[in-house]
Amino acid sequence: MTRIIAGDARGLRLEVPGSGTRPTSDRVRESLFGALESAGAIEGARILDLYAGSGALGLEALSRGGASADLVERSRPAAAVARRNSATVSTAVRDARVRVHESAVLAFLRRSTGPWDLVFTDPPYDLDDDAMTADLVALAPLLSPDAVVVIERARRSTAPDTSAAGLEVFREKVYGDTAVWWAQPAAASQSR
């Protein structure tokens, strides 16, 4: 069972797709969102949740003060779960603006305009490095100048090639079998 940890929708239960997704653990989400709040990365942010699954990451950020959330999920059953979870969270979050896009990530990015301030990309652990890099390259021009991109992968995976997208990693953390990288547009890292 997954719940919204904090914010206006705190405690609300979220459905999890039956198969084909790997929800981020509560421990990782709690640590991640504590750090994002400390960095001032959530309040008023336009949020993009790629490989959204249940939508837990994007909806957690929306509950904590994000301005809007776009959840992108290719699997029809998982997208249906994300829609139901979005409706549940929208009842608790005043003026919630959330959209679920049933689409492959790369196709969505190629037809989008952005900009987004906070992006979660939590692909299946078996997504190969070239596909991960292609996603980041397509994402980069859709980011606001001071955007934060949070990339979650298996600890055994190679680090994402953020430089190909003009992004720089500024934080990395490992939680058991999960590795999380924080990246931002290279120009923003020079002002930090």
Side-chain angles (χ1 to χ4, degrees):
M1 175 181 55
T2 299
R3 293 182 185 267
I4 297 293
I5 298 168
D8 292 342
R10 180 181 182 184
L12 287 180
R13 296 170 92 165
L14 300 178
E15 287 182 55
V16 177
S19 64
T21 63
R22 179 194 31 79
T24 301
S25 74
D26 286 351
R27 178 177 153 242
V28 173
R29 278 191 303 124
E30 194 163 352
S31 177
L32 172 64
F33 279 97
L36 286 168
E37 282 186 325
S38 292
I42 299 175
E43 190 65 36
R46 294 161 293 192
I47 302 151
L48 178 61
D49 187 352
L50 302 174
Y51 302 96
S54 68
L57 293 173
L59 296 172
E60 182 75 39
L62 191 67
S63 176
R64 293 177 185 236
S68 64
D70 286 284
L71 313 178
V72 182
E73 175 56 52
R74 179 180 68 183
S75 161
R76 177 166 283 147
V81 168
R83 281 189 195 89
R84 290 192 296 274
N85 287 338
S86 297
T88 299
V89 169
S90 292
T91 63
V93 177
R94 186 176 175 189
D95 299 325
R97 293 185 321 215
V98 59
R99 292 169 298 275
V100 176
H101 308 272
E102 189 177 316
S103 172
V105 166
L106 195 55
F108 172 81
L109 293 172
R110 287 181 174 159
R111 68 176 183 269
S112 295
T113 57
W116 286 285
D117 307 306
L118 177 58
V119 179
F120 299 99
T121 181
D122 182 11
Y125 279 173
D126 62 355
L127 184 75
D128 69 49
D129 293 344
D130 291 341
M132 179 87 249
T133 301
D135 287 352
L136 294 173
V137 168
L139 172 65
L142 305 174
L143 298 172
S144 64
D146 58 349
V148 174
V149 179
V150 178
I151 304 160
E152 182 179 332
R153 297 190 81 188
R155 184 173 136 191
R156 67 185 180 281
S157 299
T158 56
D161 181 4
T162 55
S163 63
L167 301 173
E168 290 186 3
V169 172
F170 65 94
R171 182 178 182 156
E172 183 179 342
K173 182 113 173 132
V174 174
Y175 306 89
D177 290 336
T178 302
V180 178
W181 293 268
W182 295 38
Q184 62 190 12
S189 68
Q190 295 167 5
S191 64
R192 277 196 191 249

